[in-house]
Amino acid sequence: MESFESDDGHVIVRLDRGDMVLESIERACTEHAIDTGAVVTGIGTVSTLHIHYVDRTELPDDRADRNVALELQGAWEVTDINGVIADGEPHLHVTAFDGDRTVGGHLETGCEINVLGEVTIRKLSGLSLERRPNEREVSRLQQ
C-alpha cells in the first residue's frame, strides 16, 4: 500500500497484490490525519471478499441476528467502494462482480487485493463527526 496526498486534501491509496483493503484505508487515514472524510471512489480486484448486509426490515434486539455475513473467495471485480470516515473510522460499502453474480454490502476486514486497487479519500475540514448508537444499537452519525 502506498498513499499520496494532494494540496487540496485528496488522498489516493494504491493497493497492491496481497494488501488488505479496509486495513489499508484505515492506515491511510492514520498516516494522513483524516478524522472526517469521504471515500469517494474505489476500484480494483480482490481474491477474498468479506461483507455483511441487513436482510430484513425489522431489526431483532440481538445484534448478532441482524446481518448476513458473506466470506467469498475467487476473482472479484470491485466496481465501487464508498462511504464516510467519522472520528477516523471508515464506514464503507462495496459492490463487486465475479462473472456470475453481483454482491454488495458493508466492507469488512480481510478483503485481499488480487491484482490492484485504487481508492480516493476526500478530507473534510471544519466538520467533526462521530458515530453513536441509538436506542436500537444502530450507529448513527452525529456532530
Side-chain angles (χ1 to χ4, degrees):
M1 183 280 271
E2 191 169 0
S3 57
F4 316 93
E5 187 169 350
S6 69
D7 291 340
D8 66 351
H10 286 82
V11 174
I12 306 294
V13 181
R14 188 195 73 221
L15 302 168
D16 300 313
R17 185 176 180 89
D19 287 339
M20 297 301 193
V21 178
L22 183 57
E23 294 89 327
S24 295
I25 293 169
E26 290 171 337
R27 185 173 132 204
C29 287
T30 299
E31 289 177 358
H32 295 275
I34 301 171
D35 183 64
T36 304
V39 172
V40 295
T41 185
I43 56 96
T45 61
V46 294
S47 57
T48 306
L49 181 63
H50 292 188
I51 62 172
H52 81 260
Y53 64 94
V54 177
D55 72 338
R56 59 196 73 220
T57 57
E58 296 296 323
L59 290 180
D61 289 334
D62 186 353
R63 291 187 63 174
D65 292 335
R66 294 181 181 184
N67 299 310
V68 173
L70 296 178
E71 296 184 12
L72 306 167
Q73 304 295 316
W76 288 91
E77 186 71 24
V78 173
T79 60
D80 192 34
I81 301 171
N82 61 59
V84 173
I85 299 162
D87 199 21
E89 294 294 321
H91 176 185
L92 307 177
H93 285 234
V94 61
T95 305
F97 178 68
D98 75 348
D100 292 320
R101 66 179 174 159
T102 301
V103 297
H106 181 95
L107 183 68
E108 295 288 347
T109 59
C111 296
E112 185 175 347
I113 291 292
N114 182 29
V115 178
L116 66 82
E118 297 171 349
V119 176
T120 304
I121 303 170
R122 174 68 172 127
K123 281 187 184 184
L124 300 174
S125 59
L127 178 64
S128 182
L129 298 174
E130 65 180 7
R131 289 185 183 81
R132 292 188 211 139
N134 67 5
E135 68 281 351
R136 300 284 296 163
E137 293 299 313
V138 175
S139 283
R140 297 177 57 204
L141 281 175
Q142 298 189 15
Q143 191 167 7

